[in-house]
């Protein structure tokens, strides 16, 4: 056992002794005593070779040893070839046995330079030793990847030409050629070297080395392809290769290897060919050559043949990337990318996107901008990763660094005389209630009693309807006539009429053939001969319950009617409009059975909704009502989990898109819906029918591309040429059991939650008729990816080379003669808001102070409601009146962005909670005065915009200097807040409800000087960043009580790009410390109770209610006696948060991991929309070979 150890120790001591002897042979001694030098170096080599692999050369490479310096010095001084070979062999053994640390040590000691010096010196000899060239290049190939300056050193020492000349002299010597190619591959990673090598004919030389399929020299061919791929990264070399007609050669060779490599043993060689093609197609000339050489068909067919073999996924993915990049860029199939609707502004802004839009000549708003690669310059990028790192460092450039802008303004922006007109919106601050009897005047009491009577009568009528309906599961019949009339004027509007006459007809005609017209809706109540006890019901015993309800209501009314009588001359309950019966008999109209959603939704009234629609003004003058808005939505009781992404779904969809180019004869390209020409295209029975001509609808064009596949184009926001995301449209004429594919082809965002489990929404009219009026999630094979439709630089902020994105999903319809609606998120129209506000009045009691004002009128002529909600004072005593007037004010707003419908559902939850009868709601009303603007952008909502108002501008970027004509809702809302600031009644909390399309959960953005300073390099004093930590209390409370809320996603950093938003302006100019934006996900949650589920209206309304509960807790925390407790709580919060870097609120930020499948599709080399890098993608960048192991597989792991 001791012999090996003794032998090893003896060997180690001998190596040290020999190194000492070699060290003494310096200068002339090394030259004169050649034989000794050979013997010493030979013995050292022998000892190192006989040592174990782990111990090999340890005494030379150990810390503090000078062995490496001795070896390099001897190598530099010797002129004997054999001695040189011995030393090179020693270095090879040392660097091979060790890990990267040994190579790093060798580089740090100047070893690379010594090797280059020997190489150039040896090449000057008449007949350089082939063995020496082989050893040198083998060692350089090992060292090169670890030396960041390897390319520069090679160029400066002349080693580039040495290697190239050697390859040209001995092209048939495979043994020597292999290490030369390995070194050449490293040389070429430097772009300057690549250009120099290209000029020296190396690209042509590589094409002589690579060849058709062969079982011989496969390693040589693989390395040659790697070197060629590196050379072709240079656009100069790429152009040179394309001018020499090498694209057909590459494709032919790839196809040959693909066909002959039957057992897939040479996948790396096949992939290397694809890498060469990928690199050369980064230039326009390369893409053209690829298409001209039938490259699309070659790669498509070869990829299809590879799909069955999972291990070939890297080839399929690479082929897919190349094909998508080379797919010819097309314009959208539209006459203009401007909105299909025109609204004339009172005046055009002097600057900005709207001014640019109006200044563009006709016909130039949508052009395919292709960058000219020939004009691009190539720089010496010694290390590409450095540039990537620089880009990462720009992430926080948007953070505000001006400390003066991080503090509230000292002087008011407007004189009080201008703001005095807003006093009328704050009557509660001056109301004395001294003339009230029980705080209501006699007239008010009479009105309230009348309102009560009407309520009872309405209840009786609803109960009587149970016996008089045309029943299909407690349905009423909605009769509508075909009419081409538009929305009538106020003088023409007639109230909805009730009729007792009619007849039973077919259950349901397709609604697309008989659209629901606003001014032609009549309710008919048929007398059913069946006895009430036999009537089927939704719940099984609704009839009995309704009878009980009827008797109870009659008893309750008896006392009321003793004192009051209500006479309506000419009224005939249940038979107002007998003339409608004759029309029914004539068969002019069609009957539609609809659910009585009033029994299911307390705040939904279809009749009232239609009346509200009649007073809604739209630019297209919509004359139809969408069935989902008329029927209402009842949240489903079942859970809807996040969609699990199907393996390879994106790749499959992309290949189907590529088939359009390869097999153009299979494409129908049939326009079936077009707002720009004639919306309704003649029906031949073979296509789906589409419609979006109703409030909040958005679909501009539908093109049938295959029998069951449709391309859909969304409409731009009015007075804009972009903002495509919100959609809401009707589909009919479908076949039951057939799977249809829908492609929305002009999406703009570079990624979407549709890639991370979110689905679209569908509403089935037949389901609603069956008693299930609800939006549900749908969509299989759903993904979101970059397509081949080019975005004009005019619509992309001047950036060229941008593309649109496709949202694709498939669905199967379950009912015959159905009419279905698809939406981006749960629709909530302006008319729905007005209906809900009207229904909220019914919840008013003598203890609730509710006032609805009209804040202003919008550009489109719609009113912007302002609500005031609080509790009536307990009495008319001075103390109670004083308490009433001095309640803190809470200011809430929502729906500044029309496409963020979830904000309205959250607001609905807030309003219903505030008007509720629970003790908490009563306590909340007693604690605060609520000022609420539930919809800041009615025009955008009505007209189906995604982000803008009719001015074509994002209203949440106008708060700094709103224009009273172009931005009236923002101007007057800000004026309200300025008025409060002037009278020293600034809100305690201001919160603007929003929706977020890129993140999960619900979270808040706030404003903090301290946290902004922490995340920037501002030099600030302690006094500059001193602030109360109370801004964190409300989100912290929400994180404790609201299951959907995530404190980890909150951010309190102030950014330059957000300085014109409500949150920042109210904080900075009004002085509201607790100024927030509350963002609700459009997708779902990845934490808490709802983890793994898509969000629905029930959860959104719950969030609105929980916000109210949090305000009540905040009141308790901010009380005088609890102030210290608040500070302690928030200090704990801030202490915890300092450990976590708050994410920026920048809109393009992602919080999702990348899939192994190339989800972010950076097909163009100039793409600037690449998503943030994950650990995995970073690892791939560091080790390109790791990419060979990656396939199209995806992961469902969340952050």
């Amino acid at each position: 056992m001791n012999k090996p150890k003794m032998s090893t120790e003896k060997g180690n001591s001998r190596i040290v002794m020999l190194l000492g002897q070699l060290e003494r042979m310096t200068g002339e001694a090394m030259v004169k005593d050649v034989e000794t030098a050979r013997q010493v170096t030979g013995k050292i080599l022998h000892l190192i070779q006989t040592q174990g692999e782990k111990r090999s050369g340890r005494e030379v490479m150990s810390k503090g040893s000078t062995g490496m310096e001795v070896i390099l010095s001897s190598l530099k001084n010797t002129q004997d070839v054999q001695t040189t070979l011995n030393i090179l062999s020693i270095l090879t053994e040392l660097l091979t046995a060790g890990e990267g640390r040994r190579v790093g040590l060798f580089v740090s000691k100047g070893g690379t330079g010594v090797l280059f010096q020997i190489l150039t010196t040896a090449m000057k000899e008449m007949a350089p030793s082939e063995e020496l060239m082989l050893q040198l290049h083998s060692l350089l190939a090992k060292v090169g990847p670890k030396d960041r300056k390897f390319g520069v050193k090679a160029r400066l020492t002349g080693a580039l030409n040495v290697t190239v000349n050697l390859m040209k002299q001995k092209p048939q010597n495979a043994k020597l050629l292999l290490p030369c190619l390995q070194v050449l591959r490293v040389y070429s990673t430097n772009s300057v070297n690549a250009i120099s090598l290209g000029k020296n004919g190396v690209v042509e030389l590589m094409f002589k080395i690579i060849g058709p399929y062969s079982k011989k020299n496969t390693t040589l061919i693989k390395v040659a392809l790697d070197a060629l791929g590196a050379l072709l990264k240079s656009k100069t070399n790429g152009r040179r290769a394309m001018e020499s007609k090498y694209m057909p050669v590459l494709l032919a060779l790839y196809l040959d290897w693909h066909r002959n490599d039957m057992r897939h043993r040479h996948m790396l060689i096949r992939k290397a060919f694809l890498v060469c093609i990928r690199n050369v197609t980064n230039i326009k000339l390369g893409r053209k050559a690829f298409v001209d050489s039938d490259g699309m068909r070659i790669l498509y067919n070869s990829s299809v043949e590879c799909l069955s073999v999972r291990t070939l996924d890297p080839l399929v993915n690479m082929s897919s990337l190349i094909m998508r990049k080379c797919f010819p860029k097309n314009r959208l199939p539209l006459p203009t990318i401007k909105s299909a609707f025109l609204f004339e502004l009172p005046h055009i802004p002097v600057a900005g996107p709207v001014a640019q839009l109006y200044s563009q000549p006709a016909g130039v708003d949508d052009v395919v901008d292709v960058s000219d690669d020939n004009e691009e310059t190539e720089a010496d990028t010694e290390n590409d990763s450095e540039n990537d790192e620089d880009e990462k460092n720009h992430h926080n450039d948007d953070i505000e660094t001006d400390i003066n802008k991080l503090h509230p303004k000292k002087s008011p922006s407007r004189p009080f005389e201008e703001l005095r007109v807003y006093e009328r919106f704050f009557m509660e601050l001056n109301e004395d209630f001294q003339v009230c009897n029980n705080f209501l005047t006699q007239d008010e009491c009479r009105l309230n009693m009348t309102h009560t009577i009407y309520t009872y009568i309405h209840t009786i009528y609803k109960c009587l309807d149970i016996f008089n309906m045309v029943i299909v599961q407690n349905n009423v019949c909605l009769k509508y006539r075909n009419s081409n009339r538009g929305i009538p004027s106020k003088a023409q509007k007639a109230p909805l009429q009730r009729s007792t006459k009619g007849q039973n007809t077919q259950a349901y005609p397709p609604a697309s053939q008989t659209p629901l017209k606003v001014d032609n809706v009549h309710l008919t109540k048929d007398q059913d001969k069946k006895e009430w006890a036999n009537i089927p019901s939704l719940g099984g015993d609704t009839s009995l319950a309704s009878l009980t309800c009827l008797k109870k209501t009659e008893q309750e009314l008896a006392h009321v009617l003793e004192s009051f009588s209500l006479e309506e001359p000419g009224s005939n309950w249940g038979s107002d409009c007998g003339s409608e019966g004759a029309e029914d008999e004539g068969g002019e109209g069609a009957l539609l059975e609809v659910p009585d959603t009033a029994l299911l939704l307390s705040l939904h009234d279809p009749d009232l909704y239609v009346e509200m629609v009649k007073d809604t003004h739209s630019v297209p003058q919509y004359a139809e009502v969408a069935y989902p808005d008329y029927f209402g939505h009842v949240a489903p009781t079942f859970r809807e989990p996040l969609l699990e992404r199907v393996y390879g779904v994106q790749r499959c969809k992309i290949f189907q898109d590529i088939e359009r180019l390869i097999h153009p004869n299979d494409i129908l390209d049939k326009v079936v819906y077009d707002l720009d020409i004639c919306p309704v295209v003649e029906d031949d029975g073979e296509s789906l029918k589409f419609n979006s001509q109703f409030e909040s609808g958005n679909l501009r064009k539908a093109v049938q591309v295959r029998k069951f596949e449709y391309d859909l184009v969304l409409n731009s926001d009015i007075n804009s040429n972009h903002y495509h995301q919100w959609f809401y449209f009707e589909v009919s004429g479908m076949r039951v059991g057939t799977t249809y594919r829908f492609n929305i082809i002009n999406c703009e965002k570079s990624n979407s939650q549709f890639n991370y489990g979110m689905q679209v929404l569908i509403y089935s009219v037949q389901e609603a008729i069956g008693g299930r009026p609800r939006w549900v999630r749908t969509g299989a094979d759903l993904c979101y990816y970059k397509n081949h439709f080019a975005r004009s630089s005019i619509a992309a902020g001047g950036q060229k080379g941008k593309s649109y994105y496709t949202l694709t999903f498939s669905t199967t319809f379950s009912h015959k003669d159905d009419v279905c609606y698809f939406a981006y998120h749960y629709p909530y129209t302006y008319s729905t808001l007005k209906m809900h506000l009207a229904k909220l009045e019914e919840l008013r009691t003598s203890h609730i102070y509710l006032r609805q004002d009209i804040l202003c009128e919008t550009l489109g002529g719609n009113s912007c409601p302002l609500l005031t909600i609080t509790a009536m004072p307990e009495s008319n005593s001075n103390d109670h009146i004083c308490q009433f007037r001095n309640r803190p004010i809470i200011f809430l707003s929502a729906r500044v962005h029309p496409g963020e419908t979830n904000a309205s559902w959250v607001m609905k939850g807030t309003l219903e909670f505030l008007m509720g009868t629970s003790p908490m709601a009563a306590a909340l009303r007693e604690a605060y005065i609520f000022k609420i603007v539930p919809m800041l952008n009615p025009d955008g909502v009505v007209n189906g915009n995604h982000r803008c108002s009719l001015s074509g501008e994002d209203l949440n970027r106008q708060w700094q200097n709103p224009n009273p004509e172009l931005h009236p809702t923002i101007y007057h809302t800000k004026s309200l807040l300025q008025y409060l600031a002037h009278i020293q009644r600034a809100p305690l909390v201001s919160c603007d409800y929003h929706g977020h399309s890129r993140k999960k959960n619900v979270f808040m953005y706030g404003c903090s000087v301290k946290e902004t300073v922490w995340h920037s390099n501002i030099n600030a004093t302690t006094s500059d960043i001193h602030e109360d930590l109370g801004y964190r209390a409300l989100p912290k409370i929400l994180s404790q009580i609201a299951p959907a809320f995530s404190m980890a996603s909150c951010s309190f950093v102030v950014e330059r790009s957000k300085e014109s938003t409500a949150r920042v302006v109210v904080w900075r100019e009004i002085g509201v410390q607790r100024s927030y934006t509350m963002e609700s996900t459009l997708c779902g949650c990845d934490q808490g109770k709802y983890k793994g589920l898509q969000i629905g209206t029930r959860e959104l309304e719950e969030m609105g209610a929980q916000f109210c509960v949090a305000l009540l807790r905040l009141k308790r925390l901010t009380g005088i006696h609890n102030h210290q407790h608040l500070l302690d709580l928030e200090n704990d919060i801030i202490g915890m948060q300092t450990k976590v870097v708050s994410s920026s609120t920048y809109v393009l930020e992602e919080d999702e991991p990348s899939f192994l499948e190339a989800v972010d599709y950076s097909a163009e080399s100039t793409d600037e929309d690449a998503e943030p890098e994950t650990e995995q993608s970073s690892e791939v960048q560091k080790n390109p070979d790791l990419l060979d192991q990656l396939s199209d597989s995806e992961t469902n792991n969340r952050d």
Side-chain angles (χ1 to χ4, degrees), residues 19-72:
L19 285 174
Q21 185 178 351
L22 190 62
E23 185 178 8
R24 291 189 292 271
M25 298 178 62
T26 57
E28 295 181 0
M30 179 69 73
V31 178
K32 292 180 180 179
D33 200 352
V34 174
E35 192 62 32
T36 303
R38 289 180 181 178
Q39 291 177 1
V40 172
T41 54
K43 289 178 181 179
I44 295 174
L45 176 60
H46 175 73
L47 289 173
I48 291 176
Q49 288 176 337
T50 55
Q51 285 181 336
E53 183 177 344
K54 294 183 179 180
R55 295 180 174 271
S56 177
R58 179 178 295 180
E59 59 285 332
V60 180
M61 308 300 298
S62 61
K63 187 176 181 180
S65 172
T66 59
M68 181 59 71
E69 287 91 334
V70 173
I71 292 173
L72 289 176

Side-chain angles (χ1 to χ4, degrees), residues 414-562:
R414 293 177 63 187
F416 185 64
E417 290 72 19
E418 293 183 15
L419 299 172
R420 194 180 294 275
V421 295
Y422 295 94
E423 184 178 5
R424 63 191 177 93
F425 295 111
F426 298 94
M427 296 171 56
E428 68 280 358
L429 299 183
N430 300 310
E431 180 65 63
D432 55 16
F433 298 96
Q434 295 301 315
V435 297
C436 292
N437 181 18
N438 293 327
F439 314 111
L440 292 174
T441 64
Q442 291 183 356
D443 289 340
E444 289 173 328
C445 291
R446 187 177 297 108
L447 287 173
N448 278 359
M449 184 62 69
T450 304
H451 174 73
T452 304
I453 293 173
Y454 273 120
T455 303
Y456 280 124
I457 291 173
H458 180 74
T459 305
I460 289 177
Y461 193 83
K462 286 294 182 183
C463 293
L464 288 172
D465 284 349
I466 300 295
F467 310 104
N468 299 324
M469 293 178 186
V470 176
I471 297 293
V472 174
Q473 294 186 334
N474 275 357
N475 295 330
V476 297
C477 287
L478 176 69
K479 180 175 180 296
Y480 54 93
R481 296 193 302 265
N482 288 313
S483 173
N484 293 322
R485 289 182 295 168
I487 296 178
S489 64
K490 292 183 180 179
Q492 294 173 321
K493 290 171 185 169
L496 300 181
Q497 300 174 345
R498 298 186 182 274
S499 172
T500 58
K501 296 183 180 181
Q503 62 182 11
N504 289 323
T505 62
Q506 62 180 358
Y508 174 63
S512 58
Q513 299 172 5
T514 52
L516 188 60
K517 297 292 183 179
V518 173
D519 56 340
N520 296 314
V521 179
H522 303 273
L523 290 178
T524 62
K525 302 284 196 262
D526 264 346
Q527 297 292 343
D528 200 334
K529 295 181 180 179
K530 296 182 181 179
E531 298 206 2
W532 64 268
N534 296 324
I535 295 175
S537 64
L538 288 172
D541 58 350
T542 304
S543 301
L544 181 60
S546 301
L547 182 61
T548 305
C549 170
L550 174 62
K551 291 180 178 179
K552 181 178 179 181
T553 305
E554 287 176 336
Q555 294 171 0
E556 292 176 345
L557 262 181
H559 175 70
V560 178
L561 294 177
E562 286 178 0

Side-chain angles (χ1 to χ4, degrees), residues 178-333:
L178 180 59
C180 289
L181 287 171
Q182 291 172 335
V183 175
L184 186 69
R185 178 174 57 184
V186 185
Y187 288 163
S188 302
T189 56
N190 181 286
S191 60
V192 176
N193 286 352
I195 295 173
S196 177
L197 291 169
K199 291 178 179 178
N200 207 2
V202 177
V203 173
E204 292 79 2
L205 180 61
M206 293 299 101
F207 277 100
K208 292 179 181 178
I209 297 173
I210 62 176
Y213 175 80
S214 173
K215 295 182 180 180
K216 298 179 180 180
N217 298 325
T218 54
T219 303
L220 182 69
I221 294 174
K222 170 62 172 63
V223 176
L225 284 169
D226 289 343
L228 179 60
L231 288 168
L232 292 178
K233 280 187 177 180
S234 162
K235 292 182 174 63
T236 301
N237 291 337
R239 283 190 288 270
R240 182 177 289 109
M242 294 304 97
E243 290 167 358
S244 300
K245 309 298 182 183
Y246 280 128
M247 178 59 78
V249 176
L250 282 173
L251 289 169
L253 290 174
Y254 171 74
L255 189 58
D256 182 68
W257 280 86
H258 168 77
R259 289 173 175 171
N260 290 285
D261 185 23
M262 304 300 294
R263 297 187 178 182
H264 313 300
R265 293 178 175 176
H266 304 297
M267 190 186 76
L268 294 180
I269 292 179
R270 292 157 64 182
K271 185 178 179 183
F273 275 110
L274 292 176
V275 169
C276 294
I277 297 173
R278 180 200 65 186
N279 290 346
V280 82
T281 51
N282 283 335
I283 61 174
K284 184 168 56 178
L285 187 62
R287 293 191 288 272
K288 182 178 183 302
F290 178 83
V291 174
D292 293 344
S293 302
D294 204 21
M296 297 291 285
R297 186 183 302 275
I298 292 172
L299 290 195
Y300 174 80
N301 291 335
S302 63
S303 298
V304 170
E305 294 170 5
C306 293
L307 288 176
S308 59
V309 184
R310 189 74 169 264
T311 56
L312 298 181
D313 277 355
L315 301 182
V316 178
N317 293 338
M318 184 70 71
S319 298
S320 172
L321 179 66
I322 295 169
M323 288 186 286
R324 292 171 59 201
K325 182 165 48 175
C326 297
F327 203 111
K329 293 294 182 183
N330 297 327
R331 293 177 65 252
L332 288 172

Side-chain angles (χ1 to χ4, degrees), residues 649-837:
V649 59
Q650 176 180 302
R651 182 180 64 191
C652 177
K653 299 302 180 182
I654 291 171
F655 274 35
Q656 291 177 14
D657 292 347
I658 292 170
E659 286 177 5
R660 301 188 191 186
L661 185 66
I662 298 173
H663 306 295
N665 294 333
D666 296 342
I667 303 304
L668 300 177
D669 202 25
K670 174 186 174 184
V671 177
V672 296
Y673 182 76
D674 193 346
L675 283 181
D676 292 288
I677 305 174
C678 178
V680 181
V681 180
E682 184 178 352
D683 178 27
D684 59 1
E686 295 297 322
S687 307
L688 292 177
K689 294 180 284 294
F690 293 84
N691 181 32
S692 63
Q693 297 183 87
F694 45 80
E695 185 176 347
S696 294
N698 190 317
L699 177 66
R700 182 170 185 171
K701 190 171 186 176
V703 181
Q704 186 178 16
V705 291
R706 295 185 179 94
K707 189 173 183 179
F708 302 115
E709 181 178 355
Y710 294 82
D711 280 353
L712 309 179
V713 184
L714 304 182
N715 194 24
S716 302
D717 286 4
I718 293 176
N719 278 315
S720 171
N721 55 16
H722 57 304
Y723 297 119
H724 310 106
Q725 187 165 332
W726 168 257
F727 57 86
Y728 182 18
F729 57 88
E730 171 193 297
V731 176
S732 59
M734 64 284 291
R735 297 184 183 181
V736 176
T738 299
T739 300
Y740 291 86
R741 176 184 172 185
F742 298 97
N743 311 307
I744 299 176
I745 62 174
N746 62 332
C747 302
E748 293 177 344
K749 292 195 174 183
S750 61
N751 205 348
S752 169
Q753 283 292 317
F754 286 118
N755 275 331
Y756 302 98
M758 178 174 159
Q759 293 175 283
V760 300
L761 286 154
I762 189 172
Y763 192 106
S764 166
V765 172
Q766 288 285 23
E767 285 289 311
I769 290 172
R772 296 172 294 277
R774 63 196 180 196
W775 288 96
V776 293
R777 301 281 184 171
T778 190
D781 296 340
L782 194 151
C783 61
Y784 186 96
Y785 57 89
K786 182 179 289 184
N787 60 34
H788 60 278
F789 291 103
R791 286 186 66 188
S792 171
S793 60
I794 298 172
Q799 299 181 66
K800 293 185 177 182
K802 294 292 180 180
S803 296
Y804 287 104
Y805 291 78
T806 291
L807 164 63
T808 181
F809 63 94
S810 299
T811 193
T812 303
F813 300 99
S814 303
H815 300 288
K816 183 180 180 182
D817 293 330
D818 201 359
V819 175
C820 292
Y821 291 77
F822 291 100
Y824 177 70
H825 199 67
Y826 301 93
Y828 190 103
T829 66
Y830 173 62
S831 297
T832 299
L833 172 68
K834 292 192 294 181
M835 177 191 67
H836 284 160
L837 294 184

Side-chain angles (χ1 to χ4, degrees), residues 91-148:
L91 291 172
T92 301
E93 291 290 336
L94 292 174
L95 300 184
T96 301
E99 298 179 354
R101 188 187 65 82
R102 289 192 174 188
V103 178
L105 177 63
F106 175 82
V107 172
S108 67
K109 300 296 183 181
T112 308
V114 175
L115 295 180
F116 281 140
Q117 178 183 337
I118 297 172
L119 180 65
T120 53
T121 303
M123 198 61 185
K124 294 177 182 178
E125 299 178 3
M126 292 297 296
S129 169
E130 181 177 317
E131 182 66 22
L132 180 61
M133 293 293 107
L134 179 62
Q135 288 266 30
L136 280 170
H137 281 91
S138 297
L139 201 54
L140 285 169
K142 193 180 298 295
V143 172
K146 298 293 183 180
D147 190 346
R148 294 181 59 186

